[in-house]
Amino acid sequence: MDITLNVNGRPEQFSAQPNELLVERLRDGLGLTGTKVGCDTGQCGSCVVRLDGRSVKSCLVLTAAAAGAEVATIEGVTTRGGELSTLQEALRQEHGTQCGFCTPGMVMALGELVDAAADGPAPTEPEIREWLTGNLCRCTGYHSVVRGVQRACAAGRDEVPAGSAASTAAATEV
């Protein structure tokens, strides 16, 4: 079947099998390997992309079901100038990545939360942790990731979140 997707702002047209998964199309068909295949069962979150603005696990979405949709992958997250997004930079500053395998999926999922915070209140720590329940990470323990999300949400408010590396460093300076 013939499919059209808008991937990272670019139209893509191709033929797909009815049982082809979106993660397969992104990685194997379009060469967007930042979207990872971890568990292949929707448990780990390493394959999260944004589909029409909502974070979804691309290993659970048929390519045909995404026809006509806007798909954003980790490759499309950086700014037009090539800099890291606010969330990516905040995660870097808070040491919220380790091996990096789960990071693209976390950025895609948490990006939706950070975007929502721009129009409303910043999420609380329990809300951030709840949002993270669909993303497994064996390296970070999530504390640094939570601080990174808090930093990213505060960036638009010109605040430094309590407990962040920057606020801890400032508090220990004499």
Side-chain angles (χ1 to χ4, degrees):
M1 68 184 43
D2 292 333
I3 306 288
T4 300
L5 296 174
N6 190 349
V7 181
N8 297 328
R10 294 181 43 202
E12 300 284 351
Q13 294 181 323
F14 49 85
S15 292
Q17 294 297 315
N19 63 343
E20 178 184 85
L21 296 172
L22 183 57
V23 70
E24 295 169 333
R25 173 54 53 179
L26 295 171
R27 289 182 57 79
D28 302 332
L30 300 176
L32 299 171
T33 57
T35 303
K36 306 296 185 213
V37 177
C39 66
D40 239 353
T41 61
Q43 302 292 315
C44 73
S46 64
C47 67
V48 172
V49 298
R50 302 273 291 271
L51 186 64
D52 288 334
R54 301 287 314 245
S55 55
V56 299
K57 294 178 179 177
S58 62
C59 74
L60 299 179
V61 176
L62 293 173
T63 302
E70 297 278 335
V71 179
T73 69
I74 192 67
E75 288 87 352
V77 171
T78 57
T79 67
R80 291 189 196 275
E83 296 92 32
L84 297 175
S85 71
T86 301
L87 176 58
Q88 289 172 306
E89 179 60 25
L91 289 171
R92 186 193 67 77
Q93 290 175 354
E94 295 295 337
H95 310 287
T97 62
Q98 295 290 318
C99 79
F101 191 83
C102 66
T103 304
M106 281 194 187
V107 169
M108 298 311 294
L110 292 168
E112 185 179 353
L113 180 63
V114 171
D115 289 350
D119 296 329
T124 64
E125 181 176 335
E127 289 170 331
I128 296 167
R129 289 184 181 279
E130 176 69 24
W131 200 269
L132 277 167
T133 59
N135 295 85
L136 300 179
C137 176
R138 294 178 181 195
C139 301
T140 66
Y142 306 100
H143 303 299
S144 299
V145 175
V146 170
R147 287 193 311 267
V149 173
Q150 290 171 325
R151 176 184 285 272
C153 290
R157 296 172 172 85
D158 295 324
E159 302 169 3
V160 176
S164 71
S167 68
T168 303
T172 58
E173 291 179 2
V174 178

